[in-house]
Amino acid sequence: MRMGEMVRRTGVHERLLRYYEQQGLLAPERLPSGYRVYSESDIETVRRIRCLLAAGLSTSLIAGVLPCVRADDGRLVPTCPDLASRLRQESERITRTIEQLQTSRAMLDTVIAAAPHENG
């Protein structure tokens, strides 16, 4: 299928599809004219990319994860022995980031609470 059909079926803008290709996440065939041709399996790949991005993974990490997961009843299941460990480390990194953001928000709330009340 061509780009327009891929956009329609995945709901992902063509600029993002090109970006995924630049990042090595998608590898559509190319016609001699330069047009991209996507396969049916590329639709599932885009869905996996979107799921992993929503989980907070970077595209560089996703490039290493994609070959190591398979779909099972709508879930992604690791197939490479070290993948769960790598993802656990990423989860811990995200947890640390959340904690830092919560600390920052608490500091801002303290400053906001100390401000003179505005008359509205």
Side-chain angles (χ1 to χ4, degrees), residues 42-64:
D42 287 331
I43 293 171
E44 181 59 30
T45 299
V46 169
R47 288 187 180 127
R48 289 178 185 179
I49 292 167
R50 303 297 295 164
C51 177
L52 294 167
L53 284 169
L57 275 60
S58 66
T59 54
S60 60
L61 184 56
I62 291 171

Side-chain angles (χ1 to χ4, degrees), residues 66-107:
L66 280 178
C68 291
V69 293
R70 66 175 168 76
D72 184 16
D73 288 334
R75 313 180 296 156
L76 296 180
V77 178
T79 59
C80 298
D82 66 330
L83 182 60
S85 173
R86 287 173 44 209
L87 292 178
R88 198 170 295 109
Q89 290 172 354
E90 185 65 14
S91 177
E92 291 167 1
R93 183 197 64 78
I94 290 170
T95 298
R96 285 190 305 274
T97 301
I98 290 169
E99 290 168 354
Q100 292 168 350
L101 287 169
Q102 288 173 330
T103 299
S104 296
R105 183 179 60 199
M107 280 191 263

Side-chain angles (χ1 to χ4, degrees), residues 21-35:
E21 185 179 352
Q22 289 171 349
Q23 297 301 305
L25 304 175
L26 274 178
E29 291 183 41
R30 290 292 192 124
L31 297 176
S33 62
Y35 287 110

Side-chain angles (χ1 to χ4, degrees), residues 18 20 46:
R18 286 191 204 107
Y20 297 161
V46 169

